[in-house]
Amino acid sequence: MRKAAIIGATGYGGAELVRILHQHPHVSIHSVHASTLHGEPLVKSFPHMQELINHRLEAVNVEKISQEADIIFTATPSGVARDLVPGFLKNGTKVIDLSGDFRITNQEIYEQWYGIKAADQALLNQAVYGLTEWIDMDVTETNFISNPGCFPTAVLLGLAPLVKQQKIDGGSIIIDAKTGVSGSGKGLSQVTHFSGTNDNFKIYKVNQHQHTPEIEQGLKKWHPHVGPVTFSTHLAPMTRGIMATMYMTATEKTATEDLIELYQSVYENDPFIRIHSNGSFPTTKDVSGSNFCDIGVTYDERTNRIMVISVIDNLIKGASGQAVQNMNKMLGIDEKTGIDFMPVFP
Amino acid sequence: MRKAAIIGATGYGGAELVRILHQHPHVSIHSVHASTLHGEPLVKSFPHMQELINHRLEAVNVEKISQEADIIFTATPSGVARDLVPGFLKNGTKVIDLSGDFRITNQEIYEQWYGIKAADQALLNQAVYGLTEWIDMDVTETNFISNPGCFPTAVLLGLAPLVKQQKIDGGSIIIDAKTGVSGSGKGLSQVTHFSGTNDNFKIYKVNQHQHTPEIEQGLKKWHPHVGPVTFSTHLAPMTRGIMATMYMTATEKTATEDLIELYQSVYENDPFIRIHSNGSFPTTKDVSGSNFCDIGVTYDERTNRIMVISVIDNLIKGASGQAVQNMNKMLGIDEKTGIDFMPVFP
Amino acid sequence: MRKAAIIGATGYGGAELVRILHQHPHVSIHSVHASTLHGEPLVKSFPHMQELINHRLEAVNVEKISQEADIIFTATPSGVARDLVPGFLKNGTKVIDLSGDFRITNQEIYEQWYGIKAADQALLNQAVYGLTEWIDMDVTETNFISNPGCFPTAVLLGLAPLVKQQKIDGGSIIIDAKTGVSGSGKGLSQVTHFSGTNDNFKIYKVNQHQHTPEIEQGLKKWHPHVGPVTFSTHLAPMTRGIMATMYMTATEKTATEDLIELYQSVYENDPFIRIHSNGSFPTTKDVSGSNFCDIGVTYDERTNRIMVISVIDNLIKGASGQAVQNMNKMLGIDEKTGIDFMPVFP
Amino acid sequence: MRKAAIIGATGYGGAELVRILHQHPHVSIHSVHASTLHGEPLVKSFPHMQELINHRLEAVNVEKISQEADIIFTATPSGVARDLVPGFLKNGTKVIDLSGDFRITNQEIYEQWYGIKAADQALLNQAVYGLTEWIDMDVTETNFISNPGCFPTAVLLGLAPLVKQQKIDGGSIIIDAKTGVSGSGKGLSQVTHFSGTNDNFKIYKVNQHQHTPEIEQGLKKWHPHVGPVTFSTHLAPMTRGIMATMYMTATEKTATEDLIELYQSVYENDPFIRIHSNGSFPTTKDVSGSNFCDIGVTYDERTNRIMVISVIDNLIKGASGQAVQNMNKMLGIDEKTGIDFMPVFP
């Protein structure tokens, strides 16, 4: 068994890592860390783990963790991993960062959208962007993966075939994204207050969401003439799930059946991507509690537009599930290991 | 007191008419009608009306109703009002139809999108499209108003200033709409089943929603070079509320402040339209339980796109509230009468 | 028009007072007060009030308020009204307190359950307990009403006929209450965090809820041999509404029909109490958005137990609606004035 | 691999069986059956199973199924298994019935509460009541288990220690149960309609729930002087989860700590029962998506009453999870096999 340390175990991303790794056949949880509550059992924060997880929260001791753990997950607020990761890497330990600190390679763009200081350029260059299905290297050879954001995961998996094949006008991309409230984390705010959120639908961070440059960076890697994109985010009164509804102008007349074939062929070896048949579209519950990304695509002759609907569970494929998928690949084991569970419905 | 008859009183639209008219100072409920349950008290279908409404459901007797009532509301499934309204009008009674039967003036387009036979062309020509804020005639002189659909109400009120002023490229309009489940009515279906809908986000009728031609017809009246539009509809796990998020390319560089001023000036005499200030956007709960349409608008320099966010309560401004607003105007009384209640929050 | 001042206008109780009084024909809102945000428009806290309420939040100046206002509502956290009310009363202004500060007449019991210092005994004796339907004096002659808690309102209205008529064993009362999350107020806590609350059902303050002594005090006034009661409170994943399911042993064999007749007769002149017929029971939505209390009652021969199901909207009949009902009676006007609106369904 | 057949695969119970068995290491899904949709892929009913389950729905051929399958699950409406099971058993195949057809041993009582004809008495006598933790025989020696109802599972697991140890007055038991809407199944009805259920709290089948005699039968087996019980059921606006709040008079003064010790000792070898510490109580989300039953217990000196709060996921421990737990024991393998997953939170 390899040993994993989880930094930021009291957040939702950390809790899902604990849940997934608890059932992983080849990796065990070595230690859990947070910035507060040291010495307290993790189950006090998460009663659903009672009798299953006995770990107590520890402070972050970089030397100790890097020596004891085989792999470290950082599921921390913006700016924390930026300062911790160099120490872990120096000791040769594998790191997967679930925060946004290493996703944007360009420091200036990072600082403009995140409003805080970027990580060192050398480190940014070293980080492998972990959109698992589209990593173009042998990740057993890297020690450092930057796990994608939840929205960029849904968006990039949904757009890859069209952008790479230049099926769409690169300037025409409009992404209308909806997320469940767990995407806003466990922290307290009026945004996550039940009475103001239940039975309510909201738009937030209009034209200012920090996942915008991550999406554009990913798309431009596949085709330089893409963007800028319009990316807007809405809060739906539900706990989990992201749906990205995406609108693009087709470069030439096409047919839904052809697009579906393209998607099926592109993703035929990817066990976590499921393509819907003509006229069928995924709902967020179709993937809830699982690592799947379900995609529907359609072409509208009236408007010459292509629509792509991509759904994920924001805490799994959009965070901890994809992180474990990346871990599996880094460790050279089957990418499905420990995350091949079926969605929970209803 | 004028006397109102409500046809289709067992649906949600009919129930909201009952609720609103019950508190209306100048119009009383004369009779309630449905296709079944004749003789049964309406409160048996709607226990929230207990001790307030004593009416029993009656069959539809066209002659009797037109003679006894001053105004008739038809809140019926597609195809029903088409056959009933001629009889009412022949008798000179005022009619407001809440179904879609008379919204599309072009019979061919209606039949293509609705899949059933259209109403007579003469009747279609006679029907005044009741988007209250934009009716360009004295409606005390008409006997027949076709009440707009819920989505077209939110969309058209949100787009009118931009389209009329040609601020946007008419071919660039993309409308991503979200509705609460009450929009699907009181009928039983897997779409409205709680366990499959709660905590779930769905897209439906992709590129096929029958409100699409209604939106295009409305926009083209204001500017002929608009359309086709992309209009997509999502089901959010909440009871009431519509949010339309709308994306358009600006015809020339502009500024958010200028757009807000335009909206404020266009709607300054309309008591039910509220414009948000720069950087603020409405949520569906801001208007829930009320006849308001709240609108936010913003310009994004990066993409040269304008976004408009328009929210309504689908059962009030999107149906029965607007119908009563239209009734008020037809009767020559203040349009706010009986519908000037504050939204219910939280 | 009489003039009302609202202390604690940024909470849910205060906001509902604003909403109700805004539409009241005989009382206008004079000023709104809070402990913070002075000078800020109230609509900044509550966007649903936009264009309807122009008041800015003011600090609490006891002298100024008592001189300018005809009636003062205190919707403040525990312990605040205790210190403010004496000043208001000294100036002869009418006061309705929506906090719990004056509900428990016995100082010792108050301090035991609330954990803070009780109000002066003289003031406690002066306060009229405002369970409107059961106030046994002419309230035009009092200046000071202590508005009941949300749970005690549902419970006491539901139990009054049985207790007063000694139909039940006074030691057998078990109350299983469920409330929507708005009952926990607008403050931020893990209890009201959406992701931990949505799709979740919780029990809280087990055997420790501060409404327990208020319920017992109310019941004992009607019959001294009642209590102690078991009273437990649950949080349901919904915004508004209280259901109290109450279980009691019948003192002698009875019949559901007889119980229903008793309830109908007891409440026949109370416009806000609605009794369900045999075999029918209210849901919380039946009263949502209204000042009604709906009650169902049944007798089970197998167990010789009577069950009473009582539902209210916790923010209206359980707080601000009942406060306005009390205000109406204090001012000598029809108790229904301004609060006779129909529940909002669905 | 043993082979399982699932009769009633299009309901929620059937779907959960498919999900659980799909991941079971020692049992595979052989065939899935329903009364309609023969030949159609099961994924058409349940898109979340896409690419994971390839089975098509088949009609029920008793001979064929009993010969091919090692174990048969019947998750069918009332009255169906009654007629199917004899054929399966005759062929010597193991059967676990998830319907209520074989839970009540007394035919008269069954017919009184279920309103349909009971199964043969011989068959009723043969059925082993599968409340796993309390089966008092070696189930590898039976071929036929009747799986408990969802409510009785939560209730009986919660009451067993008190009843067996005679800690409570057997005539004092009051059970106030709350369930998520999935407990009402996948069928369409006003009860499960989203708009009438969301943000609403309901009581149903008052004093008439068919799980009442099942609870009483179970309790009487442990102690003859128990009952009748008051058992009431509420519908909470959530998808999954049951909470049973139970109230009883203690036979003698006791202490919460002692009760907790009793529970811990009684259940110390039961991996799916978790006892909360003093002052802590479970929520339904603590067990959602898992086979756990979490229990909190407390004693109130004021009233001399004991309260027990017991929560389960109605579709797992309350149905399909417990069925697989029973299957494991019938097959002589570790009872945790394939169902030891952690609850999904949030």
Side-chain angles (χ1 to χ4, degrees), chain B residues 57 168 222:
Chain B
L57 288 161
I168 55 170
W222 294 330

Side-chain angles (χ1 to χ4, degrees), chain C residues 176 216 230 232 247 302 305, chain D residues 176 216 232 247 302 305:
Chain C
D176 188 289
E216 292 182 348
T230 290
S232 73
Y247 306 90
R302 288 178 72 246
R305 289 202 182 102
Chain D
D176 189 290
E216 291 182 349
S232 74
Y247 306 90
R302 288 178 73 246
R305 289 202 182 100

Side-chain angles (χ1 to χ4, degrees), chain C residues 29-247:
Chain C
I29 299 168
H30 174 71
S31 56
V32 295
H33 307 265
S35 56
T36 56
L37 306 175
H38 302 148
E40 200 172 280
L42 184 58
V43 298
K44 208 165 163 194
S45 295
F46 294 113
H48 69 287
M49 297 179 183
Q50 200 185 335
E51 293 188 17
L52 303 176
I53 300 294
N54 297 314
H55 294 82
R56 288 172 181 272
L57 288 162
E58 302 175 27
V60 178
N61 180 325
V62 171
E63 286 306 314
K64 187 165 178 292
I65 295 174
S66 4
Q67 276 158 32
E68 296 177 359
D70 298 302
I71 185 144
I72 299 168
F73 294 92
T74 46
T76 44
S78 288
V80 174
R82 178 193 62 199
D83 298 335
L84 285 177
V85 165
F88 295 142
L89 291 178
K90 200 187 55 193
N91 286 300
T93 318
K94 289 181 195 308
V95 173
I96 298 178
D97 176 42
L98 287 85
S99 84
D101 288 5
F102 303 98
R103 293 179 194 149
I104 308 293
T105 313
N106 183 311
Q107 290 182 316
E108 197 181 333
I109 293 179
Y110 176 89
E111 294 180 354
Q112 177 190 335
W113 288 84
Y114 279 79
I116 59 170
K117 202 175 157 303
D120 280 349
Q121 188 64 52
L123 216 56
L124 292 174
N125 295 344
Q126 188 184 343
V128 174
Y129 186 70
L131 186 69
T132 324
E133 283 74 11
W134 292 101
I135 300 176
D136 51 5
M137 65 170 290
D138 178 356
V139 286
T140 60
E141 292 177 6
T142 183
N143 273 346
F144 183 23
I145 283 185
S146 169
N147 214 53
C150 51
F151 287 120
T153 298
V155 167
L156 294 173
L157 291 174
L159 293 185
L162 297 178
V163 169
K164 292 179 84 105
Q165 302 277 332
Q166 305 186 35
K167 296 283 187 196
I168 54 169
D169 167 2
S172 73
I173 303 174
I174 289 175
I175 302 157
D176 188 289
K178 301 90 179 169
T179 183
V181 183
S182 63
S184 297
K186 211 188 162 194
L188 300 177
S189 74
Q190 282 300 342
V191 170
T192 61
H193 189 285
F194 184 87
S195 303
T197 302
N198 181 42
D199 232 38
N200 198 359
F201 198 86
K202 308 179 190 173
I203 189 166
Y204 70 103
K205 291 193 187 174
V206 178
N207 289 323
Q208 293 174 2
H209 200 289
Q210 73 277 12
H211 286 173
T212 311
E214 184 180 344
I215 290 168
E216 292 182 348
Q217 171 184 285
L219 295 175
K220 274 180 210 292
K221 246 188 291 180
W222 294 330
H223 198 270
H225 297 310
V226 167
V229 305
T230 290
F231 170 61
S232 73
T233 49
H234 303 76
L235 204 64
M238 57 190 199
T239 304
R240 288 175 180 236
I242 281 176
M243 178 182 285
T245 313
M246 301 182 271
Y247 306 90

Side-chain angles (χ1 to χ4, degrees), chain A residues 86-218:
Chain A
F88 295 141
L89 290 178
K90 200 188 56 192
N91 286 301
T93 318
K94 289 183 194 306
V95 174
I96 297 179
D97 177 43
L98 286 84
S99 85
D101 289 4
F102 302 99
R103 294 180 192 149
I104 307 294
T105 313
N106 182 311
Q107 290 182 316
E108 197 181 333
I109 292 179
Y110 176 90
E111 294 180 354
Q112 176 189 336
W113 288 84
Y114 280 77
I116 58 170
K117 202 176 157 302
D120 279 350
Q121 189 64 52
L123 216 55
L124 292 174
N125 294 345
Q126 188 184 342
V128 174
Y129 185 71
L131 185 70
T132 324
E133 282 74 11
W134 292 101
I135 300 176
D136 51 4
M137 65 170 291
D138 178 356
V139 285
T140 61
E141 292 178 6
T142 183
N143 274 347
F144 184 24
I145 283 185
S146 168
N147 215 53
C150 51
F151 287 120
T153 297
V155 168
L156 293 173
L157 290 174
L159 293 184
L162 297 177
V163 170
K164 291 179 83 106
Q165 301 277 332
Q166 304 187 35
K167 295 284 186 195
I168 55 169
D169 168 359
S172 73
I173 302 173
I174 289 175
I175 302 157
D176 189 288
K178 300 92 178 168
T179 184
V181 183
S182 63
S184 296
K186 211 189 162 194
L188 301 177
S189 74
Q190 282 300 343
V191 170
T192 60
H193 190 286
F194 183 88
S195 303
T197 302
N198 180 43
D199 232 39
N200 198 359
F201 199 86
K202 308 179 189 174
I203 189 166
Y204 70 104
K205 290 193 189 175
V206 178
N207 288 323
Q208 292 173 2
H209 200 290
Q210 72 277 12
H211 286 172
T212 311
E214 184 180 342
I215 290 167
E216 291 182 348
Q217 172 184 285

Side-chain angles (χ1 to χ4, degrees), chain A residues 112-113 171-178 195-196 198-203 206-207 212-213 216 228-232 234 236-240 243 245 247-248 281-286 288 298-300 302-303 305 307 309 311 345-346, chain B residues 112-113 171-178 195-196 198-203 206-207 212-213 216 228-232 234 236-240 243 245 247-248 281-286 288 298-300 302-303 305 307 309 311 345-346:
Chain A
Q112 176 189 336
W113 288 84
S172 73
I173 302 173
I174 289 175
I175 302 157
D176 189 288
K178 300 92 178 168
S195 303
N198 180 43
D199 232 39
N200 198 359
F201 199 86
K202 308 179 189 174
I203 189 166
V206 178
N207 288 323
T212 311
E216 291 182 348
V229 304
T230 290
F231 170 61
S232 73
H234 303 77
M238 58 190 198
T239 305
R240 287 176 180 236
M243 178 181 286
T245 313
Y247 306 89
M248 294 136 295
F281 298 91
T283 76
T284 57
K285 270 236 165 174
D286 288 344
S288 193
T298 193
Y299 172 70
D300 181 35
R302 289 178 71 245
T303 56
R305 290 201 181 103
M307 275 176 69
I309 289 89
V311 302
F345 180 91
Chain B
Q112 177 190 334
W113 288 85
S172 73
I173 302 173
I174 289 175
I175 302 156
D176 188 289
K178 300 91 178 168
S195 303
N198 180 42
D199 232 37
N200 198 359
F201 198 86
K202 309 178 190 174
I203 189 166
V206 179
N207 288 323
T212 310
E216 291 182 349
V229 304
T230 290
F231 170 61
S232 72
H234 303 77
M238 58 190 197
T239 305
R240 288 176 180 235
M243 178 182 286
T245 314
Y247 306 90
M248 294 136 295
F281 298 91
T283 76
T284 58
K285 270 237 165 174
D286 287 345
S288 194
T298 193
Y299 173 70
D300 181 35
R302 288 178 72 246
T303 57
R305 290 201 182 103
M307 275 176 69
I309 289 89
V311 301
F345 181 91

